[in-house]
Amino acid sequence: MDFTINENESTKLIDPTSAPGVLGGYGGTSIANVQMKTNQSDRIDIDQSAQFHSWLMPFFVNIFLACASFSIVVPSLAPYLLQIGAPLAFLPWVVSSYSIGEMVGSATIGLFYEHATKTCRVEGRGPRISLLLCSCLGIIGSAMYAAAGWIEDRTIARHCLLFGRFLQGTWTGGQQAVEQAYLSAAVHPSTKVEYTATLSTCSVLGFVMGPSIGAVFCQIDTTIHGLNFNANNAPAFLILVAVVIMFLQTLLFFDGKDDRTGATITENASTSRKITSDISEVNKQKRPFNTTGVAMSVFIFLVHYYSFAVQETITTPMVIRLYQWSPVEINVLFAGAGMISLITSFSVRYISRHVQDQTLLILSILIGLVGSILLIDIPHFETVLPVWRFLTGFSLITMAFPVGRNVVLGLFGNILGPVNQGRWMGVIIAVSALPRALGPFLALEALEAVNWRTWLEFGFCSIFFVCAFIGTMETIDTFVPYSDFVKQPDSEESEISTSPMPSPVLVRRHSTRMKHAGSSSSKETLFTYHD
């Protein structure tokens, strides 16, 4: 690896908040040419030698199979519990164990990803190891889930199933954190929402097609070498096969070299001493951290996931109780929801090219708020929530979630800036899993407390969206890329920036423009990064 600096007059270091593609920011190619012109606007032109990102296809496969695996198992989970002799009261614990696993996996594997990316001496090994670790956890968890039906001891069987779902959650939570952190490092800040929406489209496809794939195997009932295979444990073996495929294709096709936030640069001997001394000076200084932007992003993410978790948890029992819907009608409802999510995610990919991310963020909150208000029945005036209002509110919340999720993740990556985001992506994914862990208990309790009236539960959802809207409007100036944040008046005192995470190397910025004496032309410096 060779790092060459060609310049006209004197050496100049790069500010990673302005040009992260050189030293571990957005890339997507093995050769990136960054030309920095210190003219009147300090404009930076970034020329990428290729537009196709080789990591996209492995991510597409991983995300599709992971989401399909989740939706495959949901219809058969309750019958599987009954088959192994567990009571239905054990179902909420199994559902929550998956979400708790997501919380643990996203936080711990996200932190591991950051550490591995910075400490592994072989380029790309850190991201590869992190994703392969997730797949290994998924293989173990899926094997335990599948084997629970063959264990004769009922107590051991139910706990084997419970821990298997926990490990499966750890796998998917860790995978989400790693892939989102890698995406934030590999693409330009202006396209993070677009790429996040692209990956989200694959996830929705997986959720929609999962039950259809599982339905093909619902008629299985056979015994092989004394082991019974039926409609309840067949999905577990499908998941096991899917995770093995994910492991192999990650091993073969994912090189992990686009995240260079942990890269070590080898300089020419003539400049190495100067660069080393500047790095030492930089590391002693502090950089401002956009605490408000980070905190608000996490809160809005939590609000959207809480609304989604409530919808996911109570819709089926609610429509059965209020409208006496049949299983066919319920399946049609969720199939329609899947199509709405797919169309919305696909639309965000293109809308984000023309509409500001902050505008989309506010729009997602308002859509969620209107949807939640429509789902509130009016005490003393309505005995049952009208069907048309339920369908309208349900559809609006279904639209709000993919918009809010994709935009928040894109903005969150930009707010953090050009540093390794493993631990922070782990944190935000862990927070998103919290409502899904508590939802099976809290949402049903809120409905039963008021005799299945909806005003209490969706009143809370509306309050959360109102708080998110007010907070967003008050702090909208903080939802900006890090390079813009450090240029704001309250951040100008510190030229060098440090976040709670270690910074990449070479992080000094010139605060003054350098021009030739008696000339209006700007000095031009060319930095070329070679593998």
Side-chain angles (χ1 to χ4, degrees):
M1 185 179 295
D2 176 53
F3 186 79
T4 305
I5 302 180
N6 301 316
E7 56 184 345
N8 294 335
E9 295 183 9
S10 62
T11 301
K12 180 178 180 181
L13 299 182
I14 300 176
D15 171 22
T17 64
S18 299
V22 178
L23 301 172
Y26 44 86
T29 61
S30 59
I31 299 176
N33 296 320
V34 180
Q35 185 176 17
M36 186 171 189
K37 299 179 179 180
T38 53
N39 54 18
Q40 292 184 351
S41 63
D42 283 341
R43 184 172 61 89
I44 297 174
D45 297 322
I46 299 171
D47 177 27
Q48 294 180 326
S49 61
Q51 296 297 322
F52 178 75
H53 297 278
S54 61
W55 49 267
L56 276 176
M57 188 55 65
F59 279 22
F60 287 158
V61 174
N62 282 352
I63 291 172
F64 174 81
L65 291 178
C67 295
S69 297
F70 175 83
S71 59
I72 283 173
V73 79
V74 170
S76 63
L77 188 55
Y80 196 24
L81 284 175
L82 296 176
Q83 175 186 324
I84 65 175
L88 283 180
F90 196 62
L91 179 61
W93 293 98
V94 175
V95 173
S96 294
S97 69
Y98 182 90
S99 299
I100 294 172
E102 280 190 306
M103 295 172 61
V104 174
S106 59
T108 56
I109 297 179
L111 185 60
F112 173 82
Y113 168 85
E114 180 181 323
H115 175 75
T117 303
K118 293 178 178 178
T119 57
C120 288
R121 296 184 178 182
V122 178
E123 184 181 13
R125 179 172 292 178
R128 277 168 55 84
I129 291 176
S130 300
L131 271 186
L132 292 174
L133 173 62
C134 295
S135 298
C136 289
L137 291 172
I139 291 173
I140 297 172
S142 300
M144 293 182 66
Y145 182 82
W150 298 335
I151 300 175
E152 295 183 359
D153 188 297
R154 293 186 175 184
T155 301
I156 296 177
R158 72 175 67 174
H159 286 91
C160 182
L161 187 148
L162 180 70
F163 192 66
R165 288 298 287 168
F166 171 82
L167 288 180
Q168 288 178 327
T170 306
W171 146 48
T172 56
Q175 179 177 303
Q176 290 180 72
V178 169
E179 290 171 344
Q180 195 62 44
Y182 192 87
L183 181 149
S184 291
V187 302
H188 191 278
S190 63
T191 61
K192 285 181 183 176
V193 172
E194 178 182 340
Y195 276 98
T196 302
T198 302
L199 297 182
S200 180
T201 302
C202 291
S203 68
V204 176
L205 279 173
F207 283 126
V208 171
M209 295 185 64
S212 301
I213 297 172
V216 176
F217 298 88
C218 67
Q219 302 301 320
I220 293 179
D221 189 5
T222 186
T223 300
I224 301 176
H225 297 296
L227 300 177
N228 180 250
F229 295 86
N230 54 44
N232 296 329
N233 63 4
F237 290 98
L238 286 176
I239 297 174
L240 182 59
V241 172
V243 184
V244 171
I245 293 174
M246 293 167 61
F247 179 88
L248 294 176
Q249 70 97 25
T250 299
L251 186 65
L252 295 175
F253 304 115
F254 178 62
D255 61 18
K257 295 181 179 181
D258 295 284
D259 186 347
R260 300 193 185 96
T261 52
T264 300
I265 305 302
T266 302
E267 306 86 1
N268 289 340
S270 59
T271 59
S272 60
R273 287 192 296 270
K274 176 176 175 56
I275 293 177
T276 302
S277 62
D278 282 323
I279 295 172
S280 299
E281 176 188 345
V282 164
N283 289 335
K284 295 178 182 179
Q285 302 188 45
K286 294 182 179 180
R287 56 184 283 208
F289 181 65
N290 192 348
T291 306
T292 303
V294 169
M296 281 302 303
S297 298
V298 173
F299 175 69
I300 296 170
F301 207 62
L302 175 66
V303 170
H304 274 295
Y305 262 91
Y306 178 79
S307 176
F308 173 74
V310 168
Q311 182 190 57
E312 180 183 57
T313 303
I314 70 174
T315 295
T316 298
M318 188 174 77
V319 296
I320 292 176
R321 175 121 182 177
L322 297 183
Y323 310 122
Q324 292 77 48
W325 282 11
S326 67
V328 174
E329 292 172 311
I330 296 172
N331 286 330
V332 170
L333 175 68
F334 280 102
M339 293 303 301
I340 292 174
S341 297
L342 181 61
I343 294 172
T344 303
S345 297
F346 195 76
S347 300
V348 171
R349 168 181 164 83
Y350 294 98
I351 294 174
S352 62
R353 299 177 182 177
H354 308 286
V355 180
Q356 288 188 343
D357 296 341
Q358 293 87 340
T359 302
L360 289 174
L361 179 66
I362 295 172
L363 183 63
S364 72
I365 296 172
L366 290 178
I367 294 175
L369 174 60
V370 173
S372 297
I373 292 175
L374 286 174
L375 290 173
I376 298 175
D377 55 18
I378 305 174
H380 309 298
F381 291 93
E382 295 175 331
T383 56
V384 178
L385 181 72
V387 174
W388 71 268
R389 274 177 47 198
F390 165 75
L391 292 175
T392 305
F394 180 87
S395 301
L396 289 175
I397 291 177
T398 303
M399 292 174 57
F401 175 71
V403 178
R405 181 187 183 277
N406 297 333
V407 173
V408 170
L409 284 176
L411 283 171
F412 191 63
N414 289 340
I415 289 171
L416 292 174
V419 291
N420 193 297
Q421 299 178 7
R423 75 176 71 177
W424 282 107
M425 287 302 171
V427 167
I428 197 169
I429 298 298
V431 168
S432 72
L434 182 61
R436 301 180 73 179
L438 300 177
F441 303 98
L442 298 181
L444 290 175
E445 287 293 331
L447 282 175
E448 292 177 351
V450 290
N451 195 26
W452 288 86
R453 302 299 299 269
T454 63
W455 62 266
L456 180 60
E457 181 56 55
F458 290 103
F460 278 129
C461 291
S462 301
I463 292 173
F464 289 150
F465 276 115
V466 168
C467 293
F469 177 76
I470 295 174
T472 301
M473 298 305 296
E474 289 294 323
T475 61
I476 193 67
D477 291 340
T478 64
F479 291 91
V480 294
Y482 188 80
S483 57
D484 294 335
F485 171 73
V486 296
K487 295 176 184 177
Q488 293 177 357
D490 57 348
S491 300
E492 286 180 351
E493 296 178 359
S494 179
E495 289 184 3
I496 313 304
S497 51
T498 58
S499 72
M501 298 173 270
S503 304
V505 295
L506 297 182
V507 289
R508 181 164 183 163
R509 180 175 64 182
H510 281 268
S511 58
T512 59
R513 301 187 181 99
M514 294 180 289
K515 296 184 178 181
H516 294 288
S519 173
S520 61
S521 63
S522 301
K523 188 183 70 172
E524 185 175 288
T525 306
L526 180 64
F527 296 82
T528 308
Y529 181 85
H530 297 287
D531 272 340

